[in-house]
Structure formats: structure tokens, C-alpha cells
């Protein structure tokens, strides 16, 4: 039997994330997850699933693949599989190299993960590849602010990233999603109360592969 040693810093970060997710289930993060994820059908990829915060909300999914590169996150994730109404498989992989065939998912869910993907363009290219024609990318991500606050985020990004497992606070994730060949359907930008101001605002929405019509021609 091989006993894998987990990096203490990664264990601490995973526990911190998990505690925060439990504490905020009844606040805006939980309500946003419920609104975005409650009707996502079919075979769903939860990219960078962390400790499984999205699992309870994926009520309409037929099967969930929870993809997570971090061993400490996966250890907690495995204890949360029972919270998902659908069957869940856990896969150890990063966005930049997804071990799935082209077009294998009806939906890909990214919540608070694209800030941490090392090669964002490549990761989103992989998301595009594994989505089937007519599939949906559902996302909720914190992004760089416009104006002077964005410049503050630029200044603190490196320090933040070191303390937060490679998370970046100054990414234009909306532009990256569009550059990867997606067309957003009704993206919203929010600045929730009780959120760390450095990791705000957030964008959330649904995107389809560019060139495909959305529901009812949206
Ligand atoms: C802030 S947590 C969010 C977890 C979860 N999606 C949620 O909403 O609570 C960011 C997650 O992204 C994962 N991550 C980091 N780099 C990644 C990559 N290259 N590909 C996929 N996931 C990655 C981390 O391991 C971590 O679990």
C-alpha cells in the first residue's frame, strides 16, 4: 500500500476553502451556485472541483465528472460525493490537459477556478474541445476590476497568488472565454457584499461555442 504524503500548505488551503464553502452555503455563494447549476443536465464536467462545493446543486445532472488536480482537495472531495444527487467520478487532472475525448460533455462548470489555471488559454481550449456541439459552459469567476481598483489588484496579485495556491485576482476572464471561442449568453457582473474586495467583482453566466445559436435564438 502506498501512503501518499500531502503537502501541509495544500492541506491547509483545502481545509480553508472547505470551511468557507460550508459557512457561505446560505449566503450569496450558495444561492449563486443553486441558480447557475440547478438545471444543468446530462454529463457534466466540474472543472477544478475543489472540495465539492458544487456537488449538492447539480440536481439535473445524469453524471458528474469532478476533475481536480490537487491531491489535498481530492481527499476532501472524495468525502463529499454523497452530497450530489447524481453519480460522481473523481478524476485527477488539470484543465490544460483533460483526459477526455472531444465532445464528451453536455456541460462544463467552472466556479472560481479559471483564476488558478496556469495556462488559461490552453485550459479554455481544452474546455471547448471536450464540450459537445450544443453544449454549455457555465461559469462564475472573480475578475480584474475596471479603473483604479484594477490597478490595486495588479499591485497585489503576486502576493495574493503566493498565499492562495496560485489564484490571480487581475485576470480578464470574460475576454479569455471569448478568445477561446465562446459566446456568452447574458453574462452578469456582480460585486457581492461580504466578499473580499481584492477578489471582486465576479462575472457569471452561460456561454456557448461561438457560431452556435443559443436557446430561442439568444
Ligand atoms: C478556489 S478553488 C475552487 C474550487 C471549486 N470550483 C469551488 O467552486 O469551490 C480553485 C480550484 O482550482 C483548482 N485548480 C488549480 N489549477 C487548476 C488547473 N490547472 N486545472 C484545473 N483546476 C485547477 C484548485 O486545485 C482548486 O481546487
Amino acid at each position: 500500500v502506498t501512503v501518499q504524503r500531502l503537502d501541509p500548505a495544500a492541506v491547509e488551503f483545502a481545509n480553508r476553502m472547505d470551511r468557507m464553502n460550508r459557512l457561505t452555503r446560505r449566503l450569496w455563494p450558495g444561492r449563486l451556485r443553486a441558480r447557475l447549476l440547478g438545471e444543468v443536465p446530462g454529463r457534466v464536467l466540474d472543472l477544478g472541483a475543489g472540495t465539492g462545493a458544487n456537488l449538492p446543486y447539480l440536481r439535473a445532472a445524469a453524471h458528474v465528472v469532478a476533475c481536480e488536480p490537487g491531491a489535498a482537495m481530492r481527499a476532501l472531495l472524495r468525502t463529499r460525493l454523497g452530497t450530489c444527487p447524481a453519480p460522481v467520478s473523481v478524476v485527477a487532472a488539470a484543465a490544460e490537459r483533460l483526459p477526455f475525448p472531444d465532445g464528451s460533455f453536455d456541460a462544463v462548470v467552472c466556479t472560481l477556478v479559471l483564476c488558478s489555471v496556469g495556462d488559461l488559454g490552453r485550459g479554455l481550449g481544452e474546455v471547448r474541445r471536450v464540450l459537445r456541439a450544443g453544449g454549455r459552459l457555465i461559469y462564475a469567476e472573480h475578475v480584474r476590476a475596471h479603473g483604479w481598483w484594477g490597478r490595486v489588484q495588479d499591485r497585489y496579485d503576486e502576493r495574493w497568488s503566493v498565499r492562495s495556491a496560485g489564484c490571480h485576482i487581475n485576470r480578464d476572464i470574460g475576454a479569455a472565454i471569448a478568445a477561446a471561442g465562446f459566446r456568452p449568453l447574458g453574462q452578469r457582473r456582480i460585486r457581492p457584499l461580504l466578499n473580499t474586495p481584492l477578489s471582486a467583482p465576479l462575472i457569471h453566466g452561460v456561454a456557448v461555442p461561438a457560431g452556435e445559436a443559443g436557446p430561442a435564438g439568444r
Side-chain angles (χ1 to χ4, degrees):
V1 178
T2 311
V3 178
Q4 196 179 0
R5 273 178 200 276
L6 297 175
D7 170 14
V11 171
E12 195 277 326
F13 184 68
N15 280 322
R16 183 154 38 110
M17 284 270 335
D18 196 51
R19 213 165 32 244
M20 202 171 63
N21 288 334
R22 273 185 285 124
L23 289 173
T24 57
R25 269 202 74 165
R26 288 176 203 286
L27 304 176
W28 71 267
R31 290 202 294 269
L32 181 60
R33 289 183 204 271
R35 188 144 45 92
L36 284 175
L37 305 179
E39 291 175 17
V40 178
R43 193 171 150 77
V44 178
L45 173 64
D46 187 7
L47 187 70
T51 64
N54 288 332
L55 296 180
Y57 303 98
L58 289 163
R59 298 182 180 285
H63 188 107
V64 176
V65 176
C67 185
E68 171 51 54
M73 292 283 184
R74 281 199 310 276
L76 278 174
L77 174 62
R78 287 206 171 88
T79 69
R80 299 286 146 72
L81 304 188
T83 65
C84 189
V88 186
S89 316
V90 176
V91 172
E96 294 92 332
R97 197 164 177 185
L98 293 176
F100 311 111
D102 296 1
S104 44
F105 293 96
D106 299 295
V108 177
V109 169
C110 295
T111 60
L112 309 174
V113 58
L114 296 175
C115 54
S116 304
V117 171
D119 186 338
L120 183 55
R122 186 164 169 187
L124 280 166
E126 280 289 88
V127 169
R128 174 77 186 79
R129 181 183 68 73
V130 301
L131 256 188
R132 71 164 171 80
R136 296 281 181 273
L137 165 63
I138 294 97
Y139 59 96
E141 296 286 343
H142 62 82
V143 296
R144 185 183 187 279
H146 301 312
W148 67 272
W149 190 246
R151 291 191 290 280
V152 173
Q153 289 171 311
D154 292 341
R155 192 155 165 205
Y156 284 95
D157 181 60
E158 203 176 316
R159 264 177 276 181
W160 176 280
S161 181
V162 169
R163 290 179 41 200
S164 307
C167 162
H168 292 278
I169 49 181
N170 63 347
R171 286 189 169 173
D172 187 348
I173 288 173
I177 288 173
F182 287 100
R183 185 166 61 86
L185 307 173
Q187 177 174 285
R188 294 193 62 194
R189 196 174 175 96
I190 58 171
R191 188 177 276 282
L193 286 173
L194 301 177
N195 189 62
T196 325
L198 272 175
S199 58
L202 282 92
I203 56 170
H204 65 84
V206 177
V208 291
E212 289 181 14
R218 281 170 75 192

